[in-house]
Amino acid sequence: SSGINAEWPLRPGNIHTMKLLILLAVLGIVIADVVILNGEEDHKAKKRCVRVCSGTTGRGPTRTKWMDYPTEGIYVDVDISGCKFLKTPTITTSLEGSSSHWVVRGTSSVYFAKPGSFRVYIHGDKLRKEFANKYQWNVEWIAVGYKC
């Protein structure tokens, strides 16, 4: 006998595959398949260069630095420099909070996107940063781009 299980190579649903994936997760090693079909940047990078990075601006006035827009609304600049993207990634956002964030506009609109930052404007009637802070509004985001 070769000592290799008949179910080798690893396949989805295979008990050995599941055990290996659990071991890798415990060790902090993640195996993921990320494919970028198209994007803003025409980049011919290898698959190993694709990066998925996510985060949040955090709840409360000490975390999310909301700024009042001159008219009705607020905005926040989001730092994603820790992702270390080479080019501007594709960014998806949502607005999270404890109340009233469902009635505003702009929650998924990304402005001034760069490899290390972007901005989100939120519009609402008489909306000011104190209201956003009171209800712990924060921007949650996922960015997909290239690291090499």
Side-chain angles (χ1 to χ4, degrees), residues 73-87:
I74 56 177
Y75 68 94
V76 64
D77 291 316
V78 182
D79 179 8
I80 61 171
S81 60
C83 299
K84 301 193 184 323
F85 290 116
L86 286 183
K87 296 188 176 197

Side-chain angles (χ1 to χ4, degrees), residues 3 8 14 27-28 34 38 62 67 97 104 112-114 132-133 138-139:
W8 194 265
N14 172 314
L27 295 174
V34 178
N38 55 39
T62 60
M67 302 295 293
V104 295
F112 311 120
K114 296 182 251 183
N133 290 332
N138 63 96
V139 175

Side-chain angles (χ1 to χ4, degrees), residues 116-136:
S117 65
F118 65 93
R119 179 178 284 183
V120 175
Y121 291 97
I122 307 296
H123 181 268
D125 293 337
K126 300 178 184 172
L127 178 60
R128 305 319 281 157
K129 66 182 178 183
E130 292 78 18
F131 188 84
N133 290 332
K134 176 180 178 181
Y135 292 110
Q136 300 181 331

Side-chain angles (χ1 to χ4, degrees), residues 22-42:
I22 291 169
L23 173 64
L24 292 173
V26 168
L27 295 174
I29 300 170
V30 178
I31 297 176
D33 183 29
V34 178
V35 177
I36 298 177
L37 293 179
N38 55 39
E40 297 294 320
E41 302 291 335
D42 183 25

